[in-house]
Every structure is written in C-alpha cells, then in structure tokens.
Amino acid sequence: MAILSTLMGVFAPIFLILSPFTSYTDQILSIHRTRTSAGFALDIPGIMLTASILKIFYWPGARYDMSLLVQAFLMVGVQMTLLKVALDNRPAWRGERPFTEMGKSLAENGTGRPFDFWRWKQQRP
C-alpha cells in the first residue's frame, strides 16, 4: 500500500502539471492544420489566462501546492500560444454583420422578438 501511495504522490502532481498541455495541444494543432479558427471562441483563452494569472497572484498569500503553481504558469504559456495561433488563422472579415437573419425575422413578424421567441398565442376559454 505504501508503494501505491508513493506512486500517487509522484504521478498526480506530474499529471496536474501536464494537463493544460495535453488538453489544449489538440485544439492548437487542429487550428494550425486547417489554417482557420472559425468556430473557435476567443473568449476561452482570455478567461483561462485571467484565471491562471489570478491563481499566480494568489499563490504568495495562500502558498498552495507547488504543482498547481507550475500548472498555472504552463497554462499561461499554452493559452498565449492558443491565442496566437487562433488570431493568426482567423478567417477574413467578409463585411457580414451579426444577427442579420434575426433582424429580418423581427421585421417580418412585427412582434419585436427574435424568431417569435417566448411569444405564445393567447388561449382564451
């Protein structure tokens, strides 16, 4: 049982440290191979960067496990790489405006709600 405990004590921190690399490498390679980041939300790297930077700044006061601090630094590097690859392979802007179909729907149905969302016909007894 002591061997299992020792192995977990060694491999668990390594797994924690490498998890950002293993989880986001596939996304980075996919964007790089297809040469487009269409469909990828740029909010994700921003949120993860913010969380990791806050985790780094929190460490001096809390002194949590060193593997989590190393993971936060690695996550900053991985998210910066993901953000760079996604921005470098961003599709060209074609002059389209968001929600144009929704605007047409508003004009057609005259209700002021997109696609008649939450607009039910009144049922009278």
Side-chain angles (χ1 to χ4, degrees):
M1 202 56 150
I3 294 172
L4 183 62
S5 174
T6 305
L7 286 175
M8 290 302 289
V10 171
F11 287 115
I14 292 171
F15 177 75
L16 282 173
I17 290 170
L18 294 179
S19 63
F21 180 74
T22 57
S23 59
Y24 287 101
T25 301
D26 182 53
Q27 185 70 45
I28 293 169
L29 291 175
S30 173
I31 292 172
H32 184 69
R33 272 191 228 121
T34 59
R35 299 281 184 215
T36 182
S37 64
F40 178 73
L42 294 175
D43 301 344
I44 294 169
I47 292 167
M48 296 306 291
L49 273 170
T50 303
S52 296
I53 290 169
L54 288 174
K55 191 190 299 186
I56 291 168
F57 285 140
Y58 183 69
W59 188 80
R63 296 291 177 172
Y64 50 82
D65 193 36
M66 185 61 74
S67 62
L68 293 173
L69 180 66
V70 174
Q71 179 196 40
F73 278 109
L74 185 60
M75 180 67 91
V76 168
V78 168
Q79 293 301 322
M80 292 292 285
T81 304
L82 178 59
L83 190 59
K84 169 136 178 49
V85 170
L87 288 174
D88 286 347
N89 295 300
R90 194 169 189 183
W93 189 64
R94 298 177 296 202
E96 297 172 353
R97 308 195 111 227
F99 308 114
T100 53
E101 290 297 319
M102 186 169 46
K104 290 177 188 174
S105 174
L106 289 174
E108 291 169 3
N109 65 24
T111 62
R113 295 197 183 260
F115 307 109
D116 262 346
F117 189 71
W118 287 99
R119 182 70 71 166
W120 297 295
K121 294 181 180 180
Q122 294 180 358
Q123 295 180 0
R124 297 182 183 168

